[in-house]
Amino acid sequence: MKTISNKSKIVFLSTFPPTQCGIATYTQDTIKGIVDVYGKSLTCEICELVKEPQANPSQAFTLNTTNRDEYTKVAEEINKDKAVKLVHIQHEFGLFGGNYGDYLLDFLNVIKKPVTFTFHSVIPNPNDELKTVVKLLMSYSNSAFVMTQKSKEILMRDYDIDEKAITYVPHGTHIVVYETPAKAKEKFNIQDRLVLATFGLLGEGKNIETGLQALPKIIEKAPNALYLIIGKTHPNLIIDGVDTYREKLEAIVEDLNLKDNVRFINQYLETNELLEYLKATDVYLFTSKDPNQAVSGTFAYAMSCACPIVASKIPHTREVLTSDSGILVDIGDVDQFAEATIKLLSDENLRQEMGIQAFTKMRASSWENAGIAHVNAYKKLIENPSDIKYSYPSIQMRHIKKMTTDLGIIQFSKISIPDLDSGYTLDDNARALVAFCMHYKLTKDKDDLPYILIYLDFIQRCQKPKGDFINYVDQENREHIEQNAEVNLEDSNARALWALGTVVSHKDILPEAIIKKATKCFLNALKWAENIQSPRSIGFATKGLYLYHSAVPNLYVAAIINKLNAKLLANYEDNASEDWKWFEGYMTYANGILPESMLYAYLITNKPIYKKVALDSLDFLMSKMFIDKNFRVISNNGWYHKNTEPHAYGEQPIDVSYTIQTLNAFYNAFDIPEYKNKMKTAFNWFLGKNHLNQIMYNPVSGGGYDGLEKENVNLNQGAESTVCYLTARLLMENFKLSEVKVIPLMKSQDDNVAINL
């Protein structure tokens, strides 16, 4: 059955794999970035640029760039497809026929769709003819992407292009899970070597000979150095089966007696394998000799894999490679390459610091973030831009499992490496227990059960004879008196109650032994729970008590809910006014739990006052977080005090997640569509709808980034942020599943076809 699709289409004019060239790969990766983030409503098609007629074209459209007649024909074909909203031309002068590729003007004269360009070459100081061609191209579009600020500057200065027409989007990079080179080398059995690397389609412009000529000096200081030259020769350079450039490099290796220190990997590697090699690299050598090379994908990829870099000075490296992430050297200067490489190889700490700086700097340019930047620019060019919606990434458990030992979930992470010294907290293990219960309910994945047991055992171990809990345990499973003697441990204790109530509420699907353990722990805590004082602690405890009561009705539990929420109501009455309908004179973190607590109290007692305060306080909170259809997290930079302006930045995943959880509870209680729409808006914060337009999770591992600051994302993926992202993602998955309707379509009287909408 043919799929019915109402997705908008973007058509890319570009070379495309299996063609082996940088622009083909760039286009493939750009499309993947766009589809990963917006595939729910956008699809991308290729108009493949080829140099000879194709018997069996593999793409939606094909343009033989040497045949001038085809330019108008292909434009007419694209015009016929109503779903096509935009044509994106990957532009390099040599890709199109004519003088400076001016056959492309025939296409532009006929195409009726909006057009944009990516300029892969921006040549400074153009002659009159070149300048005229570029200005003509822009007259059809008034929109172009460039990958460096330098390219933008040249377009404005040398071609008189208006700044508003130019969108700067750095060359995209692949997100990897950070690991040290020592760890990555194990996969290739080269643990005992100091690894230098270069990759890409080989050719004279790569200037690999500079790296080879520097190697004898490097080996004097580091005899175990191994130089990996990764990649096939560019297919255009192999004439009649003769690979002249590679033979030249092999001759240098022979002459300089470097056979033990050089390894050619003469393959066009799959991306994942290439990234593994880059992660295993101690120093990346970027030896290009083209002083006008606007951008290099190989250089960007190396930085994104945490490689410290020694790079020749081209516009891209001058712009991006600062002294904290590598060393710039003059093009072709063998001595400078040798000295810089020796400096890095002799200082492991320096290499690690530079690698982390490079990794951190490049995360903003991940293909997902590049996809967001492209689509934000497309929206200014196309009709009905609001039709473009975010897609939800797949649910990944890799990082949360990596953060979990036999004892529990570790508190912090250095990027994606668990920090054992940070120990374990009751808070994090309680939240992780809730998340895994949700995941198990959704998937019935038996692999979840050992994790549920680990987190539950942790909570049980933290419980003291009087029913309350300690919060902090170090990696030796010892209690830390100082950290557990803090005055307000009520929050973490109350979260334990929430987690235990969550387990019991899943009694129909979880093994009986787990339910018994959670129930015993929960009942032991009730005596302590009666006397909770702080508002948020009352909220978390109420949530757990409500969940328990919903599964095992219990008058004592209902009475505690009423007693606790009477205190919370008194707080509200003391602090609320006409223009400040809130429980305190300020808003801090996890604010949603307070109206949510009132909601549960209403659902248990049916008292109208609880319902009124629940709805009034939620509306007030939402008025501070949803402004002009945009979602704004309450900042942790000084919190938000009554009669002041809220602070900006300092946004944390915990608040986004709790907002979604609260809206979910209210939607389930009252079925008001606005709550569901606000949940989607809030979740989009994780997906890139935030002031930096960057994703807030690692799509490979499911790790959640620790925070969104003014100018950067905190890439550490601690337990709190990872669990909060996962919890929010699971709630959205439940909604996604509930929205899938199956509608029968009548094909004939006796033949029904069902279609998922």
Side-chain angles (χ1 to χ4, degrees), residues 193-197 208-229 252-253 256-263 285 334-335 337-339 341-342 345:
R193 307 299 293 264
L194 281 168
V195 176
L196 312 174
I208 307 291
E209 48 271 38
T210 298
L212 291 174
Q213 285 156 0
L215 203 52
K217 265 194 175 179
I218 294 167
I219 293 166
E220 281 176 29
K221 300 288 185 188
N224 64 336
L226 174 65
Y227 187 14
L228 301 178
I229 298 168
I252 295 172
V253 170
L256 296 178
N257 195 23
L258 297 173
K259 287 193 294 298
D260 294 338
N261 298 87
V262 176
R263 187 177 297 173
L285 300 182
V334 171
D335 289 341
F337 265 99
E339 279 168 36
T341 305
I342 289 164
L345 289 180

Side-chain angles (χ1 to χ4, degrees), residues 200-415:
L201 289 170
L202 301 194
E204 291 285 350
K206 286 276 192 281
N207 199 22
I208 307 291
E209 48 271 38
T210 298
L212 291 174
Q213 285 156 0
L215 203 52
K217 265 194 175 179
I218 294 167
I219 293 166
E220 281 176 29
K221 300 288 185 188
N224 64 336
L226 174 65
Y227 187 14
L228 301 178
I229 298 168
I230 304 165
K232 290 176 73 169
T233 306
H234 198 294
N236 296 352
L237 301 179
I238 300 175
I239 297 156
D240 298 330
V242 179
D243 187 343
T244 311
Y245 185 64
R246 187 174 297 275
E247 287 175 2
K248 172 182 162 183
L249 296 180
E250 287 169 347
I252 295 172
V253 170
E254 188 72 36
D255 292 348
L256 296 178
N257 195 23
L258 297 173
K259 287 193 294 298
D260 294 338
N261 298 87
V262 176
R263 187 177 297 173
F264 287 96
I265 298 163
N266 186 6
Q267 290 171 275
Y268 191 78
L269 295 178
E270 290 296 318
T271 303
N272 285 343
E273 192 176 358
L274 169 64
L275 297 174
E276 292 297 338
Y277 271 112
L278 290 176
K279 288 202 284 183
T281 297
D282 291 294
V283 179
Y284 186 84
L285 300 182
F286 179 77
T287 50
S288 170
K289 66 178 180 184
D290 179 359
N292 288 324
Q293 186 176 352
V295 71
S296 164
T298 60
F299 165 71
Y301 282 16
M303 281 190 78
S304 74
C305 288
C307 297
I309 297 184
V310 178
S312 46
K313 295 170 184 169
I314 66 162
H316 192 189
T317 60
R318 282 174 183 272
E319 190 172 302
V320 176
L321 193 69
T322 45
S323 59
D324 59 359
S325 49
I327 301 173
L328 285 169
V329 297
D330 292 331
I331 289 175
D333 192 315
V334 171
D335 289 341
Q336 286 185 25
F337 265 99
E339 279 168 36
T341 305
I342 289 164
K343 180 182 176 182
L344 294 182
L345 289 180
S346 61
D347 189 339
E348 188 178 351
N349 284 341
L350 179 64
R351 290 201 309 275
Q352 186 173 13
E353 283 166 21
M354 281 187 167
I356 288 172
Q357 283 295 335
F359 179 91
T360 305
K361 186 180 290 186
M362 299 310 280
R363 193 50 58 243
S365 61
S366 72
W367 285 113
E368 291 80 359
N369 291 336
I372 292 166
H374 276 91
V375 169
N376 285 342
Y378 294 163
K379 284 178 176 179
K380 296 171 189 165
L381 303 172
I382 64 177
E383 291 176 4
N384 305 322
S386 60
D387 290 348
I388 299 175
K389 308 272 194 244
Y390 288 96
S391 302
Y392 296 153
S394 63
I395 295 165
Q396 298 287 352
M397 307 295 281
R398 182 171 156 189
H399 186 63
I400 193 170
K401 289 180 175 180
K402 182 177 168 183
M403 289 287 287
T404 304
T405 68
D406 291 346
L407 188 59
I409 192 166
I410 297 160
Q411 187 173 192
F412 297 134
S413 171
K414 292 174 179 171
I415 305 185

